[in-house]
Amino acid sequence: MTPGTRPIHGDTAHVFVGTVPLLFTGSITCQGVLEKGRGYVELTLPDADPEQRRLLERSTTYQWELHRDGRRLYSSPLLALHSTRRSGTGSLVVKGAPTSAPPGG
């Protein structure tokens, strides 16, 4: 399963900012979006921990794995952070695109 225009729903996301692992649980969605002719993937996370949000907002690259019921649905490549924002429901939306930078950024 890969993110496209149809959303993928999970209950756990392991997000890696450099060597720092972040764990998000709850209602999580990823979906491919097209903006000004460029493709991105949006990861919508529950925004429960301000520390995790700040770490993501300050990062330049990140990776993540999406799980549902203990089964991995998707593992992203290294992504360059494009933007972060809050959704109308208060969730954290992280938008990124694949990068050619070496892992660990």
Side-chain angles (χ1 to χ4, degrees), residues 1-75:
M1 208 180 269
T2 58
T5 55
R6 292 181 129 185
I8 302 172
H9 302 280
D11 55 27
T12 306
H14 299 273
V15 180
F16 306 94
V17 177
T19 60
V20 179
L22 307 174
L23 177 65
F24 294 86
T25 58
S27 179
I28 300 166
T29 305
C30 68
Q31 183 171 3
V33 296
L34 190 61
E35 184 179 286
K36 297 180 184 173
R38 181 156 183 203
Y40 296 96
V41 64
E42 286 188 340
L43 180 62
T44 303
L45 303 161
D47 190 20
D49 185 343
E51 195 77 23
Q52 289 181 326
R53 183 184 72 246
R54 283 190 290 272
L55 186 61
L56 269 168
E57 289 172 339
R58 292 180 191 139
S59 70
T60 56
T61 60
Y62 64 103
Q63 289 179 280
W64 51 270
E65 293 180 350
L66 179 63
H67 299 259
R68 183 174 54 224
D69 297 327
R71 194 177 107 238
R72 185 173 62 194
L73 300 175
Y74 181 73
S75 182

Side-chain angles (χ1 to χ4, degrees), residues 38-41 56 59-64 76-84 94-101 105:
R38 181 156 183 203
Y40 296 96
V41 64
L56 269 168
S59 70
T60 56
T61 60
Y62 64 103
Q63 289 179 280
W64 51 270
S76 80
L78 184 64
L79 299 170
L81 180 69
H82 177 69
S83 65
T84 60
V94 182
K95 184 190 297 184
T99 178
S100 58

